[in-house]
Amino acid sequence: QVQLVESGGGLVQPGGSLSVSCAASGFIFSVHTMGWYRQAPGKQRELVASITSGGSTNYVDSVKGRFTISRDNAKKTVYLQMNSLKPEDTALYYCNACRDYYCSGSRFSWGQGTQVTVSS
């Protein structure tokens, strides 16, 4: 059974940093492109960053230069380091395996997510 467990969210001031993690199980983690997604209130869920099995990364323009995605295949965990956070980064953050190499969609059911709130 596939499980995706996100953790590490919290409240941070604008300009601050936060790191979130996602522990995966129930599938062959190492072969999949993994993605971090977020959903703000009243908005659709969007792909924020993705990382291929070989370590190639891709980011949405709004987070380029501020967020870094990484993975540890031995631990079956994907990370998102978020720096220079802005109020508009406030959202529920989720991870998922991608449907394909280019992360055109998500593969599995969603976990519970982890809340990131950027506010003074």
Side-chain angles (χ1 to χ4, degrees), residues 9-57:
L11 173 64
V12 62
Q13 292 188 340
S17 297
L18 203 61
S19 180
V20 292
S21 303
C22 170
S25 62
F27 63 99
I28 305 174
F29 178 86
S30 61
V31 305
H32 288 284
T33 296
M34 294 296 296
W36 275 102
Y37 300 75
R38 68 184 178 187
Q39 186 168 21
K43 295 189 176 181
Q44 286 192 327
R45 186 155 21 207
E46 66 168 342
L47 177 66
V48 173
S50 62
I51 183 167
T52 68
S53 57
S56 297
T57 59

Side-chain angles (χ1 to χ4, degrees), residues 27-36 47 49-59 68-73 77-79 96-104:
F27 63 99
I28 305 174
F29 178 86
S30 61
V31 305
H32 288 284
T33 296
M34 294 296 296
W36 275 102
L47 177 66
S50 62
I51 183 167
T52 68
S53 57
S56 297
T57 59
N58 200 21
Y59 301 91
T68 302
I69 188 172
S70 60
R71 64 190 297 161
D72 185 332
N73 288 338
T77 300
V78 60
Y79 307 95
N96 209 321
C98 297
R99 186 180 302 160
D100 54 36
Y101 181 87
Y102 298 103
C103 210
S104 63

Side-chain angles (χ1 to χ4, degrees), residues 1-3 24-28 76 108:
Q1 182 175 353
V2 171
Q3 281 196 313
S25 62
F27 63 99
I28 305 174
K76 299 182 181 181
F108 301 120

